[in-house]
Each structure stands twice: as structure tokens, then as C-alpha cells.
């Protein structure tokens, strides 16, 4: 089992930045590819970004490309999501997830391919 805990969310004004953290614990002998998803009230879960196990490959949704940056520090078992130029439409609960390690990392935007999830952290962007 892997436990994931997100932090770093909050209430900010449009145009500012936030750095989200996703800390893994438990069965961390396996280094997982990781993803960030978000869900706003009344909306479906949405892919935000993903990163391969060694950080060599990163992916972003069109809505955040150029504004968000995903990274990881495997020594700290932590994945980061740097969010710049935040917009009100970025308001959502952001959750990190660990990708199923037995599969190729080519379905990174499909939340059903992730095995472990954190509880999420709320990001609210005011206009």
C-alpha cells in the first residue's frame, strides 16, 4: 500500500502562484509514475499533469500547459506541482495519484489507470 498526502493548497488571487506537494509513504520501494488531477464542484475529474517515474517525461493538459510545472524528488518521495498565473477556472480540489506500475505510461490522462490516491487539497482562485 502507498499513502499519498497533498498539501500546499489555499485561497489566492488570480495571477499569483501556488506550489502543491504530494508526499508518498508506505510501500515506496516501487517508484511510481505520478499524476495530478483536479475536480471542481459539479464537474468531472480532470487530468492536469503527469510525470514518469524518473522525471524524464512530463505531460500537461492544454488548459495548464505553460503555466504549471510538475517535478519530483524521489529521494524525498515527493511530487510537486508549481502553478503560476492562476485563473479562477483553476479552482478545484487537486489530487495526486500513483500510476499502475505494471502498465506502460501511455494512459497517464486516464484516472482509471491510477491505483493510489491522496485526499486532495483545495485550491481556490479569486478574481
Amino acid at each position: 500500500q502507498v499513502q499519498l498526502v497533498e498539501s500546499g493548497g489555499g485561497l489566492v488571487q488570480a495571477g499569483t502562484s501556488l506550489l502543491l506537494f504530494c508526499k508518498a509513504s508506505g510501500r515506496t520501494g516501487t517508484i511510481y509514475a505520478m499524476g495530478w488531477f483536479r475536480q471542481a464542484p459539479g464537474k468531472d475529474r480532470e487530468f492536469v499533469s503527469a510525470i514518469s517515474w524518473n522525471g524524464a517525461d512530463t505531460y500537461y493538459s492544454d488548459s495548464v500547459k505553460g503555466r504549471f510545472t510538475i517535478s519530483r524528488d524521489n529521494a524525498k518521495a515527493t511530487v510537486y506541482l508549481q502553478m503560476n498565473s492562476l485563473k479562477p477556472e483553476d479552482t478545484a480540489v487537486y489530487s495526486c495519484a500513483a500510476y499502475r506500475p505494471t502498465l506502460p505510461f501511455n494512459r497517464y490522462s486516464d484516472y482509471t489507470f491510477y491505483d493510489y490516491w491522496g485526499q486532495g487539497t483545495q485550491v481556490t482562485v479569486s478574481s
Side-chain angles (χ1 to χ4, degrees):
Q1 286 282 359
V2 174
Q3 292 78 44
L4 302 174
V5 178
E6 302 93 338
S7 61
L11 171 62
V12 296
Q13 289 189 329
T16 61
S17 300
L18 276 176
L19 175 62
L20 301 186
F21 301 80
C22 173
K23 173 71 174 176
S25 61
R27 189 181 170 186
T28 55
T30 298
I31 301 176
Y32 294 82
M34 299 290 294
W36 283 96
F37 291 78
R38 65 187 182 187
Q39 188 164 22
K43 295 188 176 181
D44 292 334
R45 188 179 303 177
E46 176 189 13
F47 168 74
V48 176
S49 183
I51 187 166
S52 60
W53 71 272
N54 60 358
D57 300 303
T58 58
Y59 307 94
Y60 301 92
S61 67
D62 288 343
S63 62
V64 308
K65 196 174 297 182
R67 299 188 298 122
F68 291 11
T69 302
I70 191 171
S71 61
R72 67 189 300 159
D73 184 340
N74 288 340
K76 296 181 179 179
T78 301
V79 176
Y80 309 93
L81 185 67
Q82 176 67 51
M83 306 188 297
N84 298 330
S85 302
L86 283 161
K87 304 176 181 180
E89 50 264 43
D90 294 319
T91 295
V93 174
Y94 284 70
S95 300
C96 64
Y99 191 84
R100 198 165 303 158
T102 56
L103 298 176
F105 192 45
N106 55 8
R107 300 298 298 271
Y108 50 83
S109 64
D110 186 339
Y111 72 89
T112 65
F113 284 77
Y114 289 79
D115 284 344
Y116 302 105
W117 290 82
Q119 297 275 48
T121 185
Q122 176 71 48
V123 172
T124 304
V125 185
S126 63
S127 57

